[in-house]
Amino acid sequence: MEESLLEEIKLTFEAEMREWNVSPHPRRKTITFKEFISLPKKRRPPVTLTVCYNMGWQKRSSGNKYVSILGHAFMVGARSRKVLACLVCSKFCEICEGAKQLKKEPAAHKCVKNYEGRSKGMEAHTALELVKNVKHCRGFIVGCIIADDDSSMKALLGHSYTELTANNPDYKWPRLCPKKPGTLSVKLRDTRKFPLDIPEPS
């Protein structure tokens, strides 16, 4: 996937250069792709990319019933249309389950179980894990994610209200406007889990 990532970065740099050349407003010129490639990997600045994201399950859902124990997610470059990152999400490990039924400790193995929860929540959970991991493992930041209109994914891919409040005394926790006049507004429930050191994707 390294070649796919470099192709996506190259196309992004070329698009930014075209925008920079035609923009009537003065903008800071970025480095070229050639300059980017010439830098050692550890010194390359993180590049912000637009990606497409989707997930499939090993067992077909009926639209309102999700019971699959396995799911596979792919993050594809919006410009190159090639896979940049992927992740398999599993709720089951045969070795662990077998040991549990025999009431024994499982033998040393590489456990494939990496998710607990409802199958419907896999897509949002995996999106969060991929977007977090690509900055440290793949060297790019997801600036914009094109995906299904999933409200749970939108909620997870936002900075935590609790952390924002703790790090910025001036930050005001968003509140839900009351439907009836005279009733008090309530704080929005904090389901956001995106780290503050990475910009929120749009």
Side-chain angles (χ1 to χ4, degrees):
M1 280 187 278
E2 189 65 28
E3 290 182 3
S4 301
L5 177 57
L6 288 176
E7 184 179 342
E8 180 68 23
I9 291 172
K10 182 181 179 182
L11 293 170
T12 301
F13 270 112
E14 290 173 352
E16 286 181 354
M17 286 302 295
R18 286 195 296 272
E19 290 176 12
W20 186 84
N21 288 329
V22 300
S23 175
H25 306 291
R27 295 169 61 186
R28 184 175 62 84
K29 191 171 183 178
T30 58
I31 63 171
T32 63
F33 178 71
K34 199 170 182 180
E35 292 169 335
F36 176 83
I37 287 294
S38 65
L39 293 170
K41 277 191 176 182
K42 290 184 179 180
R43 291 185 56 198
R44 289 176 185 173
V47 182
T48 303
L49 302 178
T50 298
V51 301
C52 304
Y53 169 81
N54 207 348
M55 187 168 194
W57 286 266
Q58 299 302 101
K59 189 174 181 180
R60 180 181 288 183
S61 68
S62 61
N64 55 11
K65 186 179 180 182
Y66 296 82
V67 293
S68 180
I69 60 172
L70 283 173
H72 48 275
F74 291 93
M75 190 174 278
V76 179
R79 291 187 168 90
S80 67
R81 299 181 184 179
K82 292 184 178 179
V83 176
L84 305 180
C86 60
L87 184 64
V88 174
C89 203
S90 175
K91 297 169 63 176
F92 180 80
C93 174
E94 189 174 355
I95 296 174
C96 291
E97 194 62 29
K100 185 179 178 181
Q101 290 179 4
L102 295 171
K103 296 181 179 180
K104 293 181 178 179
E105 284 293 320
H109 69 289
K110 187 176 181 180
C111 185
V112 295
K113 184 178 178 180
N114 57 5
Y115 177 74
E116 289 185 9
R118 296 194 307 163
S119 298
K120 186 171 172 41
M122 273 188 188
E123 188 169 18
H125 167 81
T126 311
L128 174 66
E129 293 303 310
L130 278 175
V131 175
K132 285 196 304 184
N133 292 340
V134 291
K135 182 188 176 186
H136 306 293
C137 302
R138 306 286 288 150
F140 71 90
I141 294 171
V142 176
C144 178
I145 184 166
I146 302 166
D148 301 333
D149 191 17
D150 188 342
S151 57
S152 57
M153 189 190 302
K154 289 178 182 177
L156 284 181
L157 294 177
H159 293 149
S160 165
Y161 297 140
T162 307
E163 290 188 25
L164 286 169
T165 307
N167 285 273
N168 183 7
D170 297 326
Y171 180 80
K172 292 185 178 179
W173 193 303
R175 303 182 76 90
L176 189 65
C177 295
K179 292 183 179 180
K180 294 181 180 179
T183 56
L184 297 173
S185 61
V186 294
K187 284 184 177 181
L188 288 177
R189 193 161 58 95
D190 192 6
T191 58
R192 299 171 160 221
K193 296 183 179 179
F194 206 61
L196 296 181
D197 62 327
I198 306 176
E200 284 184 16
S202 59

